[in-house]
């Protein structure tokens, strides 16, 4: 099978940020995943280099557009390897073959009568580089750029997009997978329920020269979208390239919601006019905000992927972006969220599992994968095998559906199971009893083979970490060329394989001002010898990052009775509470979407009573209400307040 996956080609008026990185990591992960499925893959990204925005950016730097686009395009190209992104093809709209193809296509569409010349006047938004319809304006402004569009009246060339409206509606309706997730498909169908206007596809040279000249009228250059979308064909050799049909028949585009209309409406109608079959699938994701705020240069909160990689490493960045965002929904980036995923999902869960399992294989089997002792296989082992095979199946379904967060969830369920498998089977206990030697070997084999499967499925998401895992498992060559079909099942780890325990995969991130843990003994760095006996019982517990009893005691938790609760104007998530704990105090709690004020009065909840006061929407909050948060597979959150199980006086200390 073949896969052809593309990202948008990015405008070179800005340097790459995590939004660009996210889309490109998605395409890279999918490309690696399809390779794992045995496909021949073509993954294309690139840069979009014509148009007014680029001219303005070059002017801002005092250099020519050509010099400017070369520089920024290069910085996109140079950014990707640092993120383990490996496109097969990097296209630029200033490439000679692309310019020629755009002109050939324009000529063909013109010759067949789908391009005509006409007068037009309308609201032109420079940010969008297009005319906006009356309906699109909000308070007379472009909703995306918050600027009042210019009233422009000029003669231009138009593409007969309206001619293909019925065909497009029919195509989208009869191909439910054409645009996913469904909300974007519905958005497009709703837009198409109104008459479609023709598309203005030229700009007079008097206004713009940095573009591809129309082949049939040298006084005009083509509109940036007509130029840009065609990149998806240029890259695979349309019309006569030897592999064109093979790639185009499986074409999949990944974009964010900002460019849905050009991809879901302009592009398929252009293809239909050209006599080229529509692409197969359009995958649309949401937007990354930063700390709940839109990312923007003027706010100064733009996150550069290179800086993140430098601080946290490439695997953490890729994992975080793929795990944190439910594909299709918006998500908020914060370093706290990234650090928390690094420490909990990567250091504690998968990192710890690898180091515990490899340490035990070293200690009890001299780092050589033992043979299973069939007589000692238990029902619990069989449950684990079923879970591992179900993980591969669920992961495959989710990856094919672009539900990366779900694919990772299914892997992490098994990681949790394996960590519990170690605890319940306690190999350190089995090792003490010579009669249990067979069972010990079985347990160790199960661990080694499970790690191999994890290294296999994690490869598309975290290629560098997966390589380290494969080396540690003595499977570097095997896993580098493995396919899911051949290797994605239980029991493929050859007994006798020599393992190598390397460095920790994901060392915990140290808190910036971390206090030295006191009292509780047995931390890392304590000599092995002096405490041989105790270590034997719990050899693999990593004390790093745990807190002492005293540290926990610093947090003052108290029972508080809610006396009043009210909504706060203009803050749809917040409620203002007055509580007794035992003295009265005011709290602001982010629970308004989950509780109505009248349900809260009289409830006894748990609060952090010694938190420094903070001002929220002008109200000073003297503490924090505790609640448990659950996030379902689609990213929907549910909050449930922490309460006490019996009646107790307000103000009672919780410890
Ligand atoms: N040049 C056009 C695309 C032409 S494709 C034929 C363009 N370029 S862009 O540089 O503005 O890139 C837009 C794309 O960048 C989005 O669709 C998305 O892939 C990515 N993102 C930019 N900002 C983003 C976020 N804040 N969050 C997520 N992705 C974002 O439009």
């Amino acid at each position: 099978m073949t896969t052809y996956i593309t990202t948008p080609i990015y405008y070179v008026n800005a340097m790459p940020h995590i939004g660009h990185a996210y889309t490109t990591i998605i395409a890279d992960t999918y490309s690696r995943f399809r390779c794992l499925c045995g496909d021949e893959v073509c993954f294309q990204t690139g840069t979009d280099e014509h148009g007014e925005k680029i001219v303005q950016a070059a002017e801002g730097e005092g250099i020519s557009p050509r010099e400017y686009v070369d520089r920024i395009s290069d910085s996109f190209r140079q950014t990707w390897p640092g993120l383990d992104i490996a496109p097969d093809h990097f296209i630029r709209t200033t490439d000679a073959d692309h310019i020629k193809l755009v002109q050939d296509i324009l000529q063909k569409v013109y010759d067949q009568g789908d391009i005509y010349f006409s007068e037009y006047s309308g609201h032109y938004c420079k940010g969008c580089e297009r005319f906006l319809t009356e309906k699109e304006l909000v308070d007379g402004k472009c909703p995306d750029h918050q600027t009042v569009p210019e009233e422009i009246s000029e003669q231009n060339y138009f593409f007969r997009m309206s001619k293909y409206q019925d065909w497009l509606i029919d195509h989208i309706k009869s191909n439910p997978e054409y645009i996913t997730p469904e909300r974007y498909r519905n958005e497009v169908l709703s837009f198409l329920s109104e008459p479609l206007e023709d598309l203005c596809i030229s700009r007079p040279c008097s206004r713009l020269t940095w573009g591809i000249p129309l082949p049939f009228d040298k006084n005009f250059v083509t509109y940036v979208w007509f130029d840009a979308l065609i990149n998806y064909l240029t890259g695979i050799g349309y019309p006569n390239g030897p592999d064109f049909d093979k790639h185009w028949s499986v074409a999949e585009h990944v974009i964010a919601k900002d460019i849905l209309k050009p991809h879901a409406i302009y592009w398929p109608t252009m293809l239909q006019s050209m006599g080229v079959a529509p692409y197969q699938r359009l995958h649309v994701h949401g937007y990354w905000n930063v700390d709940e705020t839109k990312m923007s240069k003027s706010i100064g909160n733009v996150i550069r992927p290179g800086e993140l990689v430098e601080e946290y490493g490439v695997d953490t960045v890729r994992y975080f972006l793929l795990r944190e965002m439910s594909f299709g929904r918006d998500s908020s980036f914060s370093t706290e969220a990234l650090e928390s995923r690094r420490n909990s999902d990567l250091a504690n869960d998968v990192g710890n599992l690898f180091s515990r399992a490899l340490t035990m294989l070293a200690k009890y089997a001299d780092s050589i994968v033992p043979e299973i002792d069939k007589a000692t296989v238990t029902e619990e082992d069989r449950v684990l095998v079923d879970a591992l095979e179900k993980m591969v199946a669920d992961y495959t379904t989710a990856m094919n559906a672009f539900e990366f967060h779900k694919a990772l969830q299914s892997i992490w369920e098994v990681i949790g199971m394996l960590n519990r498998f170690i605890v319940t089977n306690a190999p350190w206990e089995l090792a003490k009893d010579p009669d249990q030697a067979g069972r010990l070997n079985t347990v160790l084999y199960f661990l080694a083979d499970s790690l191999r499967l994890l290294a296999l499925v994690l490869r598309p998401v975290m290629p560098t970490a997966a390589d380290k895992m494969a080396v540690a498992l003595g499977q570097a060559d095997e896993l580098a060329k493995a396919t899911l079909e051949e290797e994605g099942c239980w029991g493929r780890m050859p007994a006798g394989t020599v393992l190598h325990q390397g460095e920790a995969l994901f060392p915990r991130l140290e808190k910036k001002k971390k206090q030295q843990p006191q009292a509780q003994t047995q931390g890392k760095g304590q000599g092995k010898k002096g405490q041989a006996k105790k270590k034997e019982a719990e050899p693999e517990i990593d004390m790093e990052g745990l807190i002492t009893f005293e540290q926990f005691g610093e947090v003052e938790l108290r029972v508080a009775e809610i006396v009043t609760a009210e909504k706060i104007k203009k803050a749809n998530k917040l409620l203002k509470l007055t509580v007794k704990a035992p003295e009265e105090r005011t709290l602001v709690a982010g629970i308004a979407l989950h509780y109505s004020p009248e349900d809260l009065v009289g409830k006894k909840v748990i609060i952090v009573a010694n938190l420094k006061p903070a001002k929220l929407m002008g109200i000073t909050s003297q503490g924090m209400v505790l609640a448990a948060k659950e996030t379902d597979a689609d990213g929907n959150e549910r909050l449930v307040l922490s309460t006490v199980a019996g009646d107790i006086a307000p103000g009672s200390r919780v410890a």
Side-chain angles (χ1 to χ4, degrees):
M1 290 237 301
T2 308
T3 290
Y4 175 42
I5 180 80
T6 69
T7 71
I9 46 170
Y10 303 110
Y11 284 133
V12 290
N13 62 340
M15 300 288 270
H17 57 58
I18 51 156
H20 306 120
Y22 175 72
T23 317
T24 321
I25 288 171
I26 289 280
D28 181 80
T29 301
Y30 184 68
S31 145
R32 292 176 189 267
F33 165 71
R34 292 305 315 169
C35 281
L36 200 58
C37 296
D39 278 15
E40 179 204 320
V41 177
C42 177
F43 158 29
Q44 174 170 294
T45 186
T47 43
D48 189 355
E49 306 184 7
H50 292 123
E52 280 172 54
K53 282 189 205 178
I54 312 296
V55 176
Q56 283 163 5
E59 274 168 7
E61 302 242 336
I63 54 178
S64 69
R66 160 60 62 191
E67 211 179 321
Y68 178 80
V69 298
D70 284 350
R71 187 205 295 167
I72 311 284
S73 174
D74 205 47
S75 77
F76 271 91
R77 196 196 286 266
Q78 303 297 339
T79 296
W80 303 144
L83 287 159
D84 277 352
I85 292 169
D88 299 292
H89 192 205
F90 188 97
I91 189 165
R92 301 180 56 181
T93 52
T94 49
D95 289 341
D97 59 344
H98 177 72
I99 293 172
K100 177 172 183 318
L101 181 64
V102 171
Q103 290 187 319
D104 289 352
I105 289 174
L106 280 165
Q107 189 66 55
K108 181 174 175 194
V109 176
Y110 180 72
D111 289 346
Q112 73 194 35
D114 274 352
I115 291 176
Y116 61 91
F117 194 57
S118 176
E119 172 94 23
Y120 189 79
S121 54
H123 318 283
Y124 187 76
C125 171
K126 274 198 173 166
C128 299
E129 296 208 36
R130 66 183 178 92
F131 288 98
L132 302 182
T133 60
E134 202 70 55
K135 268 180 100 182
E136 284 177 296
L137 302 180
V138 177
D139 297 333
K141 289 183 182 167
C142 162
D144 288 344
H145 296 93
Q146 289 303 314
T147 48
V148 179
E150 225 177 299
E151 292 304 313
I152 290 187
S153 182
E154 65 190 16
Q155 289 196 310
N156 263 314
Y157 285 90
F158 289 80
F159 166 56
R160 285 189 207 282
M161 195 155 75
S162 56
K163 178 174 157 188
Y164 300 101
Q165 175 164 10
D166 291 343
W167 165 81
L168 182 58
I169 294 173
D170 191 47
H171 185 74
I172 297 174
K173 285 193 173 160
S174 46
N175 293 280
E177 301 279 288
Y178 188 58
I179 302 167
T180 57
E182 207 181 346
R183 70 174 68 87
Y184 296 111
R185 175 175 184 263
N186 294 340
E187 198 177 311
V188 174
L189 283 173
S190 137
F191 183 81
L192 286 170
S193 64
E194 302 282 327
L196 196 57
E197 286 179 18
D198 288 343
L199 181 68
C200 175
I201 57 145
S202 65
R203 298 289 177 264
C205 290
S206 54
R207 205 147 64 75
L208 177 72
T209 50
W210 184 244
I212 301 179
L214 295 187
F216 43 82
D217 190 338
K218 298 289 179 230
N219 295 317
F220 291 83
V221 293
T222 190
Y223 169 48
V224 63
W225 276 106
F226 207 95
D227 160 1
L229 288 160
I230 289 172
N231 91 84
Y232 300 131
L233 298 181
T234 314
I236 49 171
Y238 176 77
N240 299 319
D243 290 332
F244 174 73
D245 289 338
K246 188 167 80 178
H247 286 130
W248 187 250
S249 61
V250 291
E252 297 181 65
H253 303 312
V254 193
I255 58 164
K257 61 183 185 180
D258 57 333
I259 51 177
L260 177 61
K261 216 180 278 175
H263 282 82
I265 297 175
Y266 305 176
W267 185 219
T269 53
M270 282 166 64
L271 288 164
Q272 187 68 2
S273 163
M274 288 153 55
V276 177
Y279 54 79
Q280 285 300 299
R281 298 202 289 172
L282 180 65
H283 306 280
V284 190
H285 64 76
Y287 245 45
W288 279 99
N289 297 318
V290 174
D291 295 324
E292 313 288 344
T293 313
K294 195 172 171 189
M295 190 165 36
S296 103
K297 236 177 163 177
S298 51
I299 302 178
N301 63 351
V302 177
I303 307 282
R304 302 289 172 203
E307 289 167 17
L308 286 184
V309 167
E310 208 166 290
E311 177 133 17
Y312 300 104
V314 61
D315 296 306
T316 301
V317 175
R318 286 177 67 112
Y319 172 78
F320 172 78
L321 293 175
L322 291 169
R323 176 65 186 82
E324 193 73 7
M325 183 177 255
S326 301
F327 192 90
R329 293 186 177 255
D330 290 352
S331 209
S332 184
F333 176 91
S334 73
T335 46
E336 290 76 24
L338 187 145
E339 288 178 1
S340 146
R341 287 236 177 254
R342 158 63 179 252
N343 278 345
S344 68
D345 301 9
L346 297 179
N348 283 1
D349 295 345
V350 69
N352 217 14
L353 172 65
F354 263 76
S355 88
R356 293 172 90 187
L358 288 167
T359 302
M360 288 186 287
L361 277 148
K363 204 160 171 183
Y364 309 125
D366 292 328
S367 290
I368 297 175
V369 177
E371 292 272 0
I372 274 194
D373 177 352
K374 288 210 177 98
T376 65
V377 173
T378 66
E379 196 42 46
E380 193 209 353
D381 300 344
R382 281 186 257 275
V383 170
L384 180 60
V385 171
D386 289 347
L388 284 160
E389 292 188 343
K390 181 171 182 305
M391 168 192 81
V392 174
D394 290 350
Y395 158 89
T396 306
T397 308
M399 295 290 275
N400 275 324
F402 273 60
E403 293 181 322
F404 302 97
H405 63 293
K406 284 193 187 165
L408 289 168
Q409 268 169 359
S410 62
I411 299 176
W412 257 255
E413 270 166 32
V414 164
I415 291 172
M417 222 173 152
L418 287 165
N419 274 321
R420 290 192 294 277
F421 180 84
I422 294 180
V423 175
T424 48
N425 285 286
W428 51 92
E429 294 296 339
L430 297 174
K432 287 182 196 160
D433 181 353
D435 290 345
Q436 297 283 5
R439 177 65 193 153
L440 177 61
N441 282 347
T442 301
V443 168
L444 293 176
Y445 182 87
F446 265 81
L447 288 175
D449 197 46
S450 304
L451 298 191
R452 181 193 60 83
L453 269 174
L454 291 178
L456 186 72
V457 292
L458 286 173
R459 180 169 282 271
V461 176
M462 299 189 282
T464 296
D467 271 348
K468 288 188 196 158
M469 293 174 187
V471 169
L473 293 169
Q475 294 283 294
D477 293 342
E478 291 80 351
L479 288 179
K481 50 180 195 285
T483 60
L484 270 180
E485 198 180 352
E486 282 166 13
E487 300 290 330
C489 46
W490 168 250
R492 293 293 158 96
M493 176 64 122
T497 302
V498 179
L499 310 170
H500 315 273
Q501 192 169 23
E503 74 219 74
L505 287 171
F506 301 104
R508 281 188 70 82
L509 298 170
E510 292 302 328
K511 289 239 166 63
K512 300 266 151 63
K513 282 189 227 141
K514 200 179 166 198
Q515 288 183 5
Q516 282 303 315
Q518 309 147 357
Q520 307 278 302
T521 55
Q522 245 198 310
K524 255 194 176 173
Q526 287 189 329
K528 269 189 184 170
K529 284 181 188 154
Q531 40 169 305
K533 263 221 141 164
K534 193 137 200 247
K535 256 199 144 233
E536 196 58 28
E538 295 176 89
E540 276 78 32
I541 294 181
D542 182 357
M543 289 293 179
E544 241 180 57
L546 302 185
I547 59 169
T548 62
F549 199 72
E550 288 74 12
Q551 284 171 320
F552 170 69
E554 285 175 19
V555 182
E556 192 186 316
L557 299 177
R558 289 195 183 276
V559 174
E561 183 176 343
I562 301 178
V563 188
T564 65
E566 59 191 277
K567 293 192 165 157
I568 300 175
K569 259 194 190 160
K570 291 194 183 157
N572 65 341
K573 290 188 178 168
L574 301 179
L575 289 183
K576 177 181 169 190
L577 309 177
T578 323
V579 300
K580 258 200 298 191
E583 76 293 346
E584 278 208 356
R585 58 169 83 199
T586 303
L587 303 178
V588 176
I591 55 173
L593 300 179
H594 308 272
Y595 288 92
S596 49
E598 53 279 15
D599 294 340
L600 290 170
V601 175
K603 265 203 168 39
K604 285 186 178 151
V605 293
I606 298 176
I607 64 164
V608 181
N610 63 339
L611 207 60
K612 285 190 180 148
K615 230 179 187 172
L616 289 160
M617 299 303 286
I619 303 165
T620 303
S621 181
Q622 301 160 297
M624 183 172 97
V625 181
L626 297 188
K629 181 159 89 177
E630 178 185 80
T631 309
D632 72 12
D634 291 327
N636 302 311
E637 285 180 355
R638 199 166 73 91
L639 279 187
V640 177
L641 285 171
S642 305
T643 53
V644 276
D647 197 23
I648 192 158
S652 304
R653 180 92 197 246
V654 179

